[in-house]
């Protein structure tokens, strides 16, 4: 069988790139003992459950399958590279629900009722992550705090105000959202240029530590992770119509249930998704703060710093070590066309210097306390990295059973927002594997993977809202 190649030009029908760079999160977790699990061990010929992808979706699906009664020894996880080396270990660290901003855009595609459900689901995810971390004592630097949406222009302040109004008119709960404008917004956010700001509960975590906790836990119970083992094809088994043959670069494993947790690369094994799930490269940076943003001056909340819908920066400051993590929107209009176009890539081996320069310049504009010329050696830009996010053309993930392929399931397509979605989606998939009904999942119906949804998607795109 010919092997698929990595695709620097961004086709979703590719395996992840073979020489990814390391993110801040990966650089600070190199001692994880399962990083290269079973790298050389032969694959078993069969396994009842095969999960493809070892990010937070794959790890949590395995965890929830075991909670629901699956024998851990019946589960294997296949991972193309080292453990959890996709977006889950390369993101900007936010566990941040959308409180209302996406309402207008979601409504246009999915209707107001679904738009409300999408937003309610994100609020629920924050609670679920907080409960999970507490219940299992997960050491992932989770910080439950508040988050600010900061409007840096009057135009964007108007957009946000209109979205909130539409959300409230449709019956959306806004009791947890605080609003500030002018001087009050500037004082609350410590941003002199803030025009307005909204604040609601949000959080941050060390995403690689969270992903690794999930893997460590399921491996500890008997599940097996095979790293450096890309799956390249899934087809009906020649030996039984009840089984699937999963072809990997290291041989074939047969399974009753196959769960695709491959996010941006989902279309390699599910080619029918090629037009609907698109890899996009995103970039994040760590900065070591100067005294004006350190110690008691550290930022206590997280931020989305917004000039417009598609021009924004995400910011958290880690409670543990004070490191700032700065993410950048993918279509920032201040970037050159060439740089913006370069986001259509699955190459996470390096970062883009123009984006890093823009991020630093903008950070200095927004927080004038950060004056680069006064930084001492060791302060300022620490590290830059990229990761591949999975954009779906209707901006919501694919979740559930794949009817046309009985025994196969998907949990993928998180639109750069997985930390605010996976903790309800992966448990739902685990439940569905055990014959549960979609309605018991409590998820917005528009997340369900159905042939009708694919037909609707083939009729046209919605503009990306993140
Ligand atoms: C720079 C950046 C910043 C982000 N910031 C945030 C943020 O602040 N908040 C937020 O909510 N979200 C953020 N995201 C998105 C978030 O990280 C993702 O939505 C989430 O991690 C998706 O998790 P996952 O497990 O579904 O996918 P992934 O973590 O990508 O896992 C998929 C895994 O599948 C493996 N794989 C793929 N194909 C195959 C194959 N054929 N065979 C075997 N293995 C395969 C991959 O190697 C990978 O490990 C960001 C993403 C990036 C890149």
């Amino acid at each position: 069988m010919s092997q698929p190649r990595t695709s620097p030009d961004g086709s979703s029908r590719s395996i992840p790139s073979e020489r990814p760079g390391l993110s801040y999160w990966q650089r600070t977790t190199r001692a994880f003992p399962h990083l290269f699990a079973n790298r050389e061990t032969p694959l078993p010929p069969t396994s009842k459950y095969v999960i493809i992808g070892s990010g937070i979706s794959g790890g949590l699906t395995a965890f929830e399958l075991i909670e629901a009664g699956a024998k851990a020894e019946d589960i294997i996880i296949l991972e193309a590279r080292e453990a959890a080396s996709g977006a889950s270990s390369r993101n900007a660290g936010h566990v941040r629900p959308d409180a209302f901003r996406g309402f207008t855009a979601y409504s246009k595609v999915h209707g107001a009722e679904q738009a409300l459900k999408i937003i309610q689901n994100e609020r629920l995810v924050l609670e679920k992550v907080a409960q999970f971390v507490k219940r299992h004592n997960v050491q992932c630097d989770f910080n439950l705090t508040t988050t600010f949406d900061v409007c840096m222009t009057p135009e964007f302040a108007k957009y946000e105000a209109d979205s909130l109004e539409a959300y409230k008119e449709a019956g959306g709960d806004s009791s947890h959202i605080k609003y500030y404008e002018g001087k009050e917004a500037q004082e609350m956010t410590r941003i002199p240029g803030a025009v307005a700001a909204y604040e609601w509960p949000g959080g941050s975590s060390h995403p690689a530590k969270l992903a690794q906790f999930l893997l460590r836990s399921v491996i500890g119970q008997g599940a097996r992770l095979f790293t450096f083992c890309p799956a390249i094809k899934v087809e009906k088994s020649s030996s039984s119509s009840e089984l699937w043959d999963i072809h990997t670069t290291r041989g074939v494993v047969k399974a009753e249930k196959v769960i695709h947790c491959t996010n941006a690369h989902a279309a390699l094994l599910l080619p029918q998704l090629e037009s609907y799930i698109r890899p996009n490269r995103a970039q994040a940076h760590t900065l070591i703060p100067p005294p004006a943003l350190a110690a008691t001056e550290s930022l206590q909340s997280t931020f989305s710093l917004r000039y417009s819908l598609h021009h924004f920066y995400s910011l958290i400051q880690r409670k543990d070590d004070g490191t700032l993590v700065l993410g950048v929107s993918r279509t920032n209009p201040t970037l050159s066309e060439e740089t913006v176009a370069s986001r259509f890539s699955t190459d996470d081996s390096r970062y883009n210097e123009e984006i890093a320069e823009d991020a630093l310049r903008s950070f200095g504009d927004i927080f004038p306390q950060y004056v680069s010329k006064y930084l001492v050696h060791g302060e300022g830009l620490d590290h830059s990295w990229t990761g591949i996010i999975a954009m779906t053309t209707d901006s919501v993930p694919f979740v559930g059973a794949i009817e046309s392929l009985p025994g196969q399931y998907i949990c993928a397509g998180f639109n750069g927002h997985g930390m605010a979605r996976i903790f309800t989606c992966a448990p739902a998939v685990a439940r569905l594997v055990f014959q549960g009904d979609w309605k018991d999942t409590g998820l917005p119906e528009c997340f369900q993977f159905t042939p009708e949804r694919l037909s609707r998607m083939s009729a046209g795109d919605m503009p990306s809202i993140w």
Side-chain angles (χ1 to χ4, degrees), residues 14-16 52-58 78-82 84-96 229-232 261-265 268-269 282-284 314 385-389 411-412 414-420 422:
S14 59
I15 55 173
I52 309 173
S54 70
I56 292 178
S57 297
L78 302 177
E79 168 54 53
R81 313 192 291 198
E82 67 176 45
S85 49
S88 294
S89 292
R90 319 178 77 82
N91 64 42
H94 248 144
V95 186
R96 182 179 200 271
C229 189
I232 50 181
C261 297
T262 44
N263 213 28
H265 300 275
L268 172 65
L269 305 173
Q283 186 162 318
S314 90
W385 67 92
T386 52
I388 311 303
I389 62 181
C411 185
F414 286 101
N415 289 272
H417 226 229
M419 309 305 295
I422 294 170

Side-chain angles (χ1 to χ4, degrees), residues 232-278:
I232 50 181
K233 190 173 179 178
V234 181
E235 62 184 7
K236 262 271 166 254
S237 177
S238 46
S239 57
S240 160
S241 61
E242 305 283 289
L243 297 177
W244 293 100
D245 283 348
I246 298 128
H247 295 258
T248 77
T249 52
R250 289 165 48 189
V252 180
V253 52
K254 294 181 192 304
E256 279 175 38
K257 309 279 184 188
V258 182
I259 302 130
H260 297 259
C261 297
T262 44
N263 213 28
H265 300 275
L268 172 65
L269 305 173
L270 297 168
Q272 64 272 45
L273 291 185
E274 187 171 11
S275 307
Y276 310 122
I277 194 159
R278 294 178 184 156

